[in-house]
Amino acid sequence: MPEREAFAEPTLAPTFAEAAERWRASRVDVAAATTIQHRTALNRALPYIGAERLDELTSQDVAELIGGLHAAGKSRESIRKTRTAVAMVFDHERITPNPARDASVKLPREEPQEVQPPSAADVEMVYRLIPAKHRLALLWLDWSGARVASIDLTQLGDYDESRRRVRLRAATTKTRRALWVELPPELAEAIEATLPHRRFRDPEARLFADSGADALRTAITKGCKAAGIPLFSPHDLRHRRVSLLHLRGVPWARIGEFVGQRNLAVTANTYSHVLIDEAELDYAGLLV
């Protein structure tokens, strides 16, 4: 008699989406900000290859993924991060050869472009168009110059109500050192209005609980398109803040400390730009 196992259904390889989730869960070695970056990078790939079985994906599929992202207007750097994350998922599942590392998979050519941070008028226009739950998070990023991961990682316990300042956790800064960001009165009052009574506050609850890094990024993109203005990202607000501080004569050492950047040369060369305008947002007017 033949062995019963010979008639057993073959085990199906996981889908890319399943494998991606397993890989993300395995990355207990990375900082919280990197976890968010991995999630964002993979989310760009899932609509293209998420439902495909891992052992059926080829280098051509990865090339078509890159082509699709390029056609959708994604930057070369965003596409590079997605290809890297996809490759690490295949590595984790021990797929050899790795289709995402095949020499035929090329990134799109892209001429270096000068980053143009958004003007105050453009940020204010988007502020009015995005859902209300994202507005405080948008103003926080504009004022602080913080990385977008701070939206997900900043907790109620990080807000110092007596001094009206927010602690940026080490996981959200380039220097891996915590720092304090003093808030303008209008923004501090708006944040305080969202807080529960002190007796009922959970210090580990998220400060911007109704928003999130990915959701805010999507809301800003939709707001820019609705307003008919150049697209900008949450990270462009970091460029805007550094440029404004530089124009106001703040020393680079102080700027580096403010935005949590350890390399002052990178801060100066990467984050300072000629702005369309030099205006701050009208926080008081926006938060009426």
Side-chain angles (χ1 to χ4, degrees):
M1 294 290 290
E3 294 291 336
R4 181 173 297 179
E5 287 77 6
F7 298 99
E9 291 291 329
T11 302
L12 293 176
T15 65
F16 180 82
E18 293 167 343
E21 189 58 33
R22 289 206 298 241
W23 172 71
R24 285 186 56 229
S26 76
R27 294 307 306 270
V28 297
D29 58 314
V30 299
T34 304
T35 298
I36 293 171
Q37 179 181 303
H38 287 163
R39 181 185 69 204
T40 301
L42 289 171
N43 281 346
R44 287 190 286 263
L46 294 181
Y48 295 88
I49 61 174
E52 302 299 323
R53 295 289 172 188
L54 212 61
D55 59 352
E56 296 176 355
L57 286 168
T58 66
S59 58
Q60 181 60 34
D61 294 313
V62 180
E64 290 176 1
L65 160 65
I66 290 175
L69 293 175
H70 181 58
K74 302 301 181 185
S75 70
R76 186 180 192 275
E77 181 62 13
S78 293
I79 296 172
R80 183 193 66 77
K81 290 178 180 177
T82 293
R83 184 186 68 172
T84 299
V86 168
M88 288 192 286
V89 171
F90 282 115
D91 286 341
H92 185 255
E93 296 293 325
R94 294 179 171 79
I95 301 297
T96 305
N98 188 322
R101 300 192 188 280
D102 191 272
S104 66
V105 178
K106 308 290 186 183
L107 292 174
R109 178 178 175 80
E110 185 175 90
E111 295 297 331
Q113 294 183 347
E114 176 70 23
V115 175
Q116 183 59 65
S119 67
D122 285 352
V123 178
E124 290 178 357
M125 191 177 301
V126 168
Y127 172 88
R128 294 185 175 94
L129 290 171
I130 64 177
K133 64 183 180 180
H134 298 307
R135 290 175 180 169
L136 275 182
L138 175 68
L139 296 185
W140 156 252
L141 292 181
D142 177 77
W143 176 260
S144 67
R147 301 165 78 190
V148 69
S150 66
I151 300 300
D152 291 335
L153 301 179
T154 304
Q155 301 176 351
L156 288 184
D158 295 321
Y159 183 61
D160 180 352
E161 191 169 358
S162 63
R163 298 186 181 182
R164 290 190 157 176
R165 60 182 186 170
V166 175
R167 177 178 58 193
L168 274 176
R169 291 173 173 263
T172 69
T173 69
K174 284 282 189 178
T175 59
R176 290 295 182 262
R177 293 171 57 191
L179 60 92
W180 289 100
V181 178
E182 310 284 341
L183 300 180
E186 301 86 356
L187 183 53
E189 290 170 8
I191 288 176
E192 288 165 12
T194 69
L195 302 180
H197 189 279
R198 289 185 182 87
R199 290 176 57 191
F200 306 109
R201 288 181 195 172
D202 175 3
E204 295 184 355
R206 292 175 54 226
L207 184 62
F208 302 102
D210 293 333
S211 188
D214 291 341
L216 177 61
R217 186 181 288 106
T218 299
I220 290 174
T221 298
K222 290 181 178 178
C224 290
K225 291 179 179 178
I229 61 175
L231 295 180
F232 68 86
S233 70
H235 194 74
D236 291 330
L237 297 175
R238 183 173 172 87
H239 287 262
R240 170 180 152 77
R241 177 51 49 194
V242 171
S243 297
L244 286 172
L245 291 172
H246 173 55
L247 288 169
R248 282 154 179 66
V250 179
W252 283 118
R254 180 70 184 92
I255 294 174
E257 177 185 341
F258 184 83
V259 298
Q261 174 63 259
R262 68 170 69 88
N263 190 319
L264 299 186
V266 170
T267 306
N269 296 332
T270 304
Y271 288 100
S272 62
H273 308 276
V274 178
L275 297 178
I276 294 175
D277 67 21
E278 301 177 13
E280 288 285 4
L281 301 189
D282 179 11
Y283 289 97
L286 293 172
L287 292 166
V288 170

